[in-house]
């Protein structure tokens, strides 16, 4: 009996609107993350690297071992050092990921700011004029201009002369 109850509760949870909205948000967020990563790696970092003397940020690392040089004495690329088993701190990739994060965080900030602005505009609207009132005798809802209750037929106020 408890199993059916648990399965039923899970089904209600899984098909509830906010869970589906969350799933859609995660999928769109993942796609947005790929776009931001491409913007950082393919559009922003190459000009920044060019300005800083043809630096490839994704290839920047700090070697923790002595054997990080090629036989000709030049430094290995990050991929070569990792393939050779050299322990490295790949801070260039960290810079790229950090830039990804900053861009995504800024976009989310702008989105939340826009939503809050729309909510404020909605709150600033005046309340709609009330079209009904409560009968003091039977407590039913009746039109504001009514002088007699349509439910209990009580006289409510001054009669309207025609």
């Amino acid at each position: 009996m408890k199993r059916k109850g648990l399965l039923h509760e899970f089904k209600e949870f899984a098909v509830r609107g906010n869970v589906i909205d969350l799933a859609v948000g995660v999928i769109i967020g993942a796609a947005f993350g790929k776009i931001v990563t491409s913007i950082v790696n393919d559009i922003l970092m190459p000009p920044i690297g060019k300005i800083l003397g043809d630096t490839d940020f994704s290839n920047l690392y700090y070697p923790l071992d002595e054997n990080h040089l090629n036989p000709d004495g030049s430094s290995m690329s990050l991929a070569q050092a990792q393939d050779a088993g050299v322990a490295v701190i790949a801070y260039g990739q960290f810079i790229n990921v950090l830039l990804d994060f900053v861009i995504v965080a800024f976009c989310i900030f702008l989105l939340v700011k826009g939503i809050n602005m729309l909510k404020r505009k909605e709150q600033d609207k005046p309340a709609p004029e009330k079209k009904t009132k409560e009968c003091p005798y039977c407590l039913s809802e009746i039109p504001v201009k009514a002088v007699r209750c349509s439910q209990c037929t009580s006289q409510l106020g001054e009669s309207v002369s025609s």
Side-chain angles (χ1 to χ4, degrees), residues 15-69:
V15 297
R16 193 175 305 154
N18 53 1
V19 174
I20 294 169
D21 292 344
L22 179 63
V24 169
V26 167
I27 292 167
I28 290 174
F32 181 70
K34 289 179 183 178
I35 292 169
V36 170
T37 299
S38 177
I39 288 171
V40 169
N41 293 337
D42 303 329
I43 296 174
L44 293 178
M45 295 314 278
I48 293 172
K50 192 74 169 167
I51 291 169
L52 297 176
D54 290 329
T55 304
D56 178 11
F57 278 83
S58 64
N59 205 26
L60 294 177
Y61 70 93
Y62 180 79
L64 298 175
D65 293 338
E66 295 293 324
N67 57 349
H68 69 281
L69 298 175

Side-chain angles (χ1 to χ4, degrees), residues 109-121:
F109 166 75
L110 291 177
L111 180 70
V112 170
K113 186 175 172 79
I115 289 171
N116 287 342
M117 187 171 48
L118 290 175
K119 283 183 181 178
R120 265 187 252 118
K121 284 182 181 177

